[in-house]
Amino acid sequence: MMMKAIASAVLALALGGVSEVAAYTTSTTPPRARAAPLKMGVSHSQWVGPAAASAAAAALMTTAQPAYATIEEAAIKVVDTTYPIVTSLPPKDVAPVLSKAIKLGLSADPKALVNLIRAADAALLSTDPKALVAALKVVDATAEKALAKGALPPLADVEGVAKVASSALATTDKAKVKEVTNAAISLTGSLDKFQLLATTADGAKLASKVNPQDAAAATSALLELLKEAGAQ
């Protein structure tokens, strides 16, 4: 139950953050004066001959898949289920909730916040450097492209980011990922209760504008990604 609650919270903040970026990138502020939003690089196609494809299919039936393949599928599923929600939410409705969520996070016990930051830093350090750098390059390129157009990146680009990010995540020490989860759970217990109630109430109002089936699908996808990443 705790993991499901965290997944829902992460999803809400992610949706809020992306919607906020949408409003930000369409503002009149010069591109270089704005923070770069996250964006993904477009994935490449892999061509395989009929015979090779048949052999690969047979191999998939009897050979265990690499960890990244499962994580990649989970990451793309998260993107595919959340993107329609993000594009349907008006930034003006998301901004107040996001602002309260940020203030809520700052109300946490400083020690709990430091522990979370340290855990996240340790997880990043356990990630394969080449995979991490590759992912950051794609994110940076996508961000520049989004800023240039002044709009959210297209779904294909976001899926591309999910692919390279999941490839990096697949190399991260799962024990370190679990430590990040535990630190996040500890942090939620130290949040200001009054701010938590207020933010939850506003979040519920925002969630009421989302199709329940879409929200359930997105939450389920996020839980699956957390499981594959070792967060559960």
Side-chain angles (χ1 to χ4, degrees), residues 40-44 72 75-76 158-168:
M40 325 313 174
V42 180
S43 60
H44 64 279
E72 178 180 300
I76 292 178
V158 181
E159 289 179 336
V161 172
K163 288 182 179 181
V164 294
S166 61
S167 292

Side-chain angles (χ1 to χ4, degrees), residues 43-193:
S43 60
H44 64 279
S45 299
Q46 193 171 18
W47 297 93
V48 183
S54 298
L60 292 178
M61 297 295 290
T62 57
T63 307
Q65 289 294 297
Y68 71 82
T70 302
I71 293 180
E72 178 180 300
E73 292 170 359
I76 292 178
K77 188 174 181 180
V78 169
V79 170
D80 290 343
T81 55
T82 57
Y83 194 88
I85 298 176
V86 170
T87 55
S88 70
L89 292 174
K92 65 180 182 64
D93 293 337
V94 176
V97 179
L98 181 61
S99 178
K100 284 190 176 182
I102 293 174
K103 290 181 180 180
L104 174 63
L106 294 177
S107 73
D109 177 13
K111 288 185 178 180
L113 186 57
V114 169
N115 288 336
L116 177 58
I117 294 173
R118 286 178 176 173
D121 185 53
L124 284 175
L125 290 176
S126 74
T127 303
D128 178 71
K130 291 183 178 180
L132 182 59
V133 170
L136 291 176
K137 285 183 177 179
V138 172
V139 169
D140 184 62
T142 305
E144 287 295 326
K145 186 177 176 182
L147 283 172
K149 293 185 176 181
L152 284 174
L155 178 59
D157 283 3
V158 181
E159 289 179 336
V161 172
K163 288 182 179 181
V164 294
S166 61
S167 292
L169 180 59
T171 69
T172 304
D173 186 336
K174 288 196 173 185
K176 299 297 183 183
V177 176
K178 182 63 176 177
E179 289 176 7
V180 173
T181 302
N182 292 336
I185 292 175
S186 297
L187 183 143
T188 58
S190 69
L191 296 174
D192 182 276
K193 300 303 183 292

